[in-house]
Amino acid sequence: MASENSVTETGNNFVRDIIRADLEAKRHSEIVTRFPPEPNGYLHIGHAKSICLNFGLAQEFQGRCHLRFDDTNPTKEEQEYIDAIERDVRWLGFDWGSHLYYASDYFEQIYAWAEYLIQAGKAYVDDSSIEEIREMRGSLTEPGRNSPFRDRSADESLDLFRRMRAGEFPNASRVLRAKIDMSAGNINLRDPVLYRILHAEHPRTGTRWCIYPTYDFAHGQSDAIEGITHSICTLEFEDHRPLYDWFIENLPVPARPRQYEFARLNLDYTVLSKRVLTELVRQGHVSGWNDPRMPTLAGLRRRGVPAAALRDFVRRVGVARANSQVDVSMFDFSIREVLNKTALRRMAVLRPLKVVIENYPADGSEDLEAINNPDDPAAGTRRIRFGREIYVERDDFMENPPKQFFRLSPGREVRLRYAYFITCREVIKDAQGEVVELRCSYDPETRGGNAPDGRKVKATLHWVAAAESIPAEIRLYDHLFCRPDPGAAGDVFADLNPASLEVLSGCRLEPILAEAKAEEPVQFERLGYFCRDTGSESLVFNRTVGLRDSYAKTQQTV
Ligand code: ATP
Ligand code: MG
């Protein structure tokens, strides 16, 4: 169970305290939570917080967590999203067992409860238009006004409601409303809409229904049907709680779930609105829901973020009732924490500059030993080929270096990782004056990277052999948005970062990387964590995250 515990760890939080108290007071014998996504988009990192909380608490208290699709809005919902959501919850490390549900499974029961309210004089059919209803609802400062249809008889409402179901009326021509209190301070209690007419095909119920319950009328009742004990949702539903409770109190439901709210996750430089994410995909600002720049679980996975890093991040963020904005560098920290322990080290050169080692035998080559993970001796070693011609990183050479630059420059000696000390002897340029090759010498006494005479060098460079290395494309990602609060100035799409994707072609990799698998993270030494892209047939790697945050990198010139 020890490794399971890291999955279940939800950190200390007020919801857990409530659950513990409920169990101690024997208010419940078993904890039942649920994660209720609407299948109208892919899950994102904010949902991960809700998933880890709901599934995590259920695991911790030996209860269960249901996966319930909140599919009450047929026009926006699709099977593709249902499949993606199941895949992503599993990938994140959670399992609902046999407890997979759909709000649409309860349409018949929810409908029966609507008739129950009508018969009890607590609901009525309103023939007003949507605009009229909105207008009569009042505002935060003015009370609402009663609809002229509010006092129609239960029999008339029942008849109209049945005919609504039978498909006699066009979309939006009537609604069913609860009869609560048009002067309530809480607008949600001003005769909320329970059912609307929508002649639309539903992914699961097809054309069986042309009226659909609202979120408010479906959600708490679905919780009750499933015997949910703690219905945990985000703070925007706090004002809906009195309505949630009103339905539970006024209907003959089989259980009395209670709703608790926590603050949603907000991340800087990141948009978590499904509406905006959908538009990013639809308008082609990204390549799809799993574009590695997207905050979706599918995008993060494709970028190489391990599920364990998401769980770790969510745990560090914690669960509170105060809204806050989390720094994305905190997420990067969690990613590096996990990858540092698991990623195999490899060498790759993103922007190759050829180096010819003039005193190395022309046809010679040799195998050197390289360590796969310095933090994990069990990961072993591998052989890397060294030869007369190698590639180093273009950025690791400067012809006229400033004082603090210790890497290659004319006359300067540096270490090649796992190989030798080399000294730059000559710089070859093309007709445009661009450096195209370096001529160097090596010291055969320094094999393995140390000089027997104890002399030191100030830089160690990564490299690959020219002959054996393989070409690849490498994609570097930056924030999708260029301001920490995208959309704060108006148009969120105007804040898209035009430099969020940089594609490097002609990169050179150690040949072993030809067999890399998408799910296996690698660290390219000195460059960052990468993983093979799933969406490409040729060899493409995505950068998951740099080795340290880029602010620190700009401060450091060595
Ligand atoms: P919308 O309702 O606008 O389509 P949503 O993000 O609320 O979008 P849902 O599918 O309804 O999407 O969300 C499922 C669950 O995930 C809800 O319980 C919701 O409270 C929770 N959730 C959504 N976004 C976040 C977030 N940023 N942080 C934490 N929980 C979230
Ligand atoms: Mg929602």
Side-chain angles (χ1 to χ4, degrees):
M1 279 309 274
S3 64
E4 288 266 295
N5 275 338
S6 57
V7 177
T8 67
E9 180 63 72
T10 52
N12 274 319
N13 66 65
F14 73 95
V15 190
R16 174 201 267 163
D17 295 342
I18 290 168
I19 291 179
R20 192 175 286 138
D22 284 346
L23 286 171
E24 273 164 20
K26 306 227 178 317
R27 272 189 283 273
H28 308 285
S29 55
E30 189 190 25
I31 290 305
V32 188
T33 58
R34 85 286 172 266
F35 173 64
E38 185 180 349
N40 62 349
Y42 278 55
L43 297 180
H44 55 59
I45 186 168
H47 294 117
K49 179 176 178 179
S50 179
I51 295 167
C52 291
L53 180 62
N54 279 295
F55 280 94
L57 287 169
Q59 278 181 2
E60 185 181 340
F61 292 101
Q62 282 96 48
R64 58 175 204 264
C65 180
H66 298 180
L67 176 62
R68 182 200 315 145
F69 288 103
D70 177 16
D71 57 347
T72 52
N73 190 358
T75 53
K76 290 194 186 145
E77 295 161 4
E78 289 172 27
Q79 187 62 39
E80 179 200 343
Y81 299 139
I82 292 178
D83 297 340
I85 288 168
E86 290 189 27
R87 191 161 58 233
D88 290 348
V89 174
R90 279 216 183 83
W91 172 75
L92 199 54
F94 299 101
D95 189 356
W96 50 91
S98 58
H99 298 284
L100 175 66
Y101 303 104
Y102 295 83
S104 57
D105 292 341
Y106 313 136
F107 279 172
E108 201 61 60
Q109 174 66 76
I110 292 170
Y111 174 85
W113 281 331
E115 287 204 354
Y116 178 93
L117 285 181
I118 296 171
Q119 277 156 338
K122 292 176 184 166
Y124 60 97
V125 170
D126 192 332
D127 305 350
S128 311
S129 68
I130 305 288
E131 294 73 43
E132 286 164 338
I133 290 175
R134 189 176 303 133
E135 199 268 320
M136 287 186 288
R137 264 195 138 182
S139 66
L140 285 175
T141 49
E142 344 145 34
R145 282 180 289 114
N146 285 357
S147 160
F149 302 96
R150 196 173 200 262
D151 292 321
R152 77 178 1 152
S153 71
D155 283 347
E156 189 186 358
S157 277
L158 194 57
D159 173 61
L160 285 168
F161 187 51
R162 287 180 177 162
R163 288 163 61 198
M164 279 167 62
R165 177 181 182 168
E168 286 188 29
F169 309 118
N171 285 354
S173 56
R174 290 185 162 80
V175 293
L176 181 72
R177 297 177 74 178
K179 194 189 280 191
I180 306 182
D181 180 3
M182 289 307 290
S183 62
N186 184 336
I187 296 184
N188 290 302
L189 295 176
R190 295 182 193 169
D191 292 9
V193 173
L194 308 185
Y195 266 90
R196 54 218 142 78
I197 302 174
L198 194 59
H199 293 268
E201 189 162 338
H202 185 282
R204 289 180 58 83
T205 58
T207 52
R208 210 173 314 148
W209 294 89
C210 61
I211 57 172
Y212 290 95
T214 53
Y215 169 86
D216 282 321
F217 194 55
H219 198 82
Q221 282 65 273
S222 303
D223 286 343
I225 291 170
E226 292 175 18
I228 302 298
T229 54
H230 297 76
S231 181
I232 305 164
C233 61
T234 37
L235 273 177
E236 68 272 23
F237 294 105
E238 187 175 14
D239 289 347
H240 295 241
R241 188 178 353 118
L243 181 56
Y244 184 102
D245 292 341
W246 190 90
F247 291 133
I248 297 297
E249 276 154 31
N250 285 279
L251 289 170
V253 289
R256 311 194 116 236
R258 299 204 36 90
Q259 173 182 304
Y260 299 93
E261 310 88 17
F262 69 98
R264 63 169 47 228
L265 175 72
N266 299 305
L267 263 186
D268 55 13
Y269 295 97
T270 309
V271 168
L272 296 180
S273 148
K274 263 198 264 181
R275 185 186 56 78
V276 175
L277 296 179
T278 306
E279 281 305 299
L280 289 173
V281 173
R282 209 185 56 80
Q283 295 178 23
H285 295 294
V286 293
S287 63
W289 283 98
N290 70 344
D291 186 302
R293 292 166 294 177
M294 290 283 272
T296 52
L297 300 190
L300 295 171
R301 176 168 65 235
R302 183 167 169 195
R303 209 179 89 200
V305 174
L310 272 152
R311 295 194 300 262
D312 178 76
F313 169 65
V314 161
R315 188 176 51 78
R316 283 173 204 276
V317 168
V319 178
R321 279 188 51 87
N323 271 312
S324 65
Q325 179 98 349
V326 178
D327 192 328
V328 280
S329 65
M330 196 170 148
F331 183 38
D332 292 345
F333 177 85
S334 289
I335 301 173
R336 290 190 192 102
E337 279 278 296
V338 173
L339 291 182
N340 183 44
K341 294 192 199 93
T342 52
L344 295 178
R345 273 54 170 175
R346 297 290 183 249
M347 291 207 281
V349 175
L350 301 193
R351 299 172 183 87
L353 174 61
K354 188 187 245 182
V355 169
V356 178
I357 298 166
E358 291 186 297
N359 59 337
Y360 196 86
D363 306 321
S365 74
E366 64 194 295
D367 279 346
L368 301 164
E369 194 170 31
I371 295 166
N372 285 330
N373 186 345
D375 289 342
D376 178 11
T381 60
R382 68 190 185 283
R383 307 203 73 76
I384 49 174
R385 183 65 57 87
F386 186 75
R388 182 180 156 90
E389 294 193 357
I390 62 168
Y391 292 114
V392 298
E393 207 69 63
R394 201 159 267 281
D395 293 352
D396 281 336
F397 172 79
M398 278 184 95
E399 194 171 13
N400 299 299
K403 248 185 155 166
Q404 319 87 313
F405 186 89
F406 299 114
R407 293 167 277 165
L408 261 186
S409 58
R412 170 83 50 77
E413 186 172 50
V414 298
R415 175 190 293 111
L416 294 176
R417 179 88 158 139
Y418 300 121
Y420 294 97
F421 285 11
I422 60 167
T423 304
C424 176
R425 302 292 173 191
E426 193 188 342
V427 180
I428 315 275
K429 297 179 185 175
D430 64 12
Q432 284 74 45
E434 186 164 347
V435 177
V436 290
E437 189 180 304
L438 302 178
R439 296 264 156 176
C440 295
S441 62
Y442 86 119
D443 177 353
E445 298 293 306
T446 57
R447 190 172 199 269
N450 288 302
D453 64 5
R455 80 182 185 278
K456 300 279 182 230
V457 288
K458 283 194 167 158
T460 300
L461 309 188
H462 61 276
W463 55 276
V464 293
E468 285 81 11
S469 62
I470 51 172
E473 176 180 310
I474 294 182
R475 299 178 187 162
L476 306 180
Y477 301 102
D478 197 353
H479 300 143
L480 186 51
F481 292 92
C482 46
R483 44 184 295 161
D485 49 355
D491 179 12
V492 68
F493 299 100
D495 295 334
L496 278 163
N497 176 5
S500 61
L501 168 62
E502 186 181 356
V503 178
L504 302 175
S505 52
C507 310
R508 307 291 305 191
L509 314 180
E510 271 185 55
I512 195 174
L513 286 163
E515 287 120 60
K517 294 195 185 66
E519 347 35 286
E520 288 169 3
V522 286
Q523 184 195 102
F524 291 168
E525 295 214 17
R526 299 177 65 228
L527 298 175
Y529 296 99
F530 293 76
C531 78
R532 188 165 183 175
D533 187 53
T534 38
S536 319
E537 268 178 38
S538 57
L539 202 53
V540 175
F541 280 80
N542 295 314
R543 183 172 65 191
T544 312
V545 68
L547 286 183
R548 62 209 113 203
D549 69 56
S550 44
Y551 174 75
K553 208 151 60 195
T554 57
Q555 300 293 295
Q556 168 228 316
T557 42
V558 178

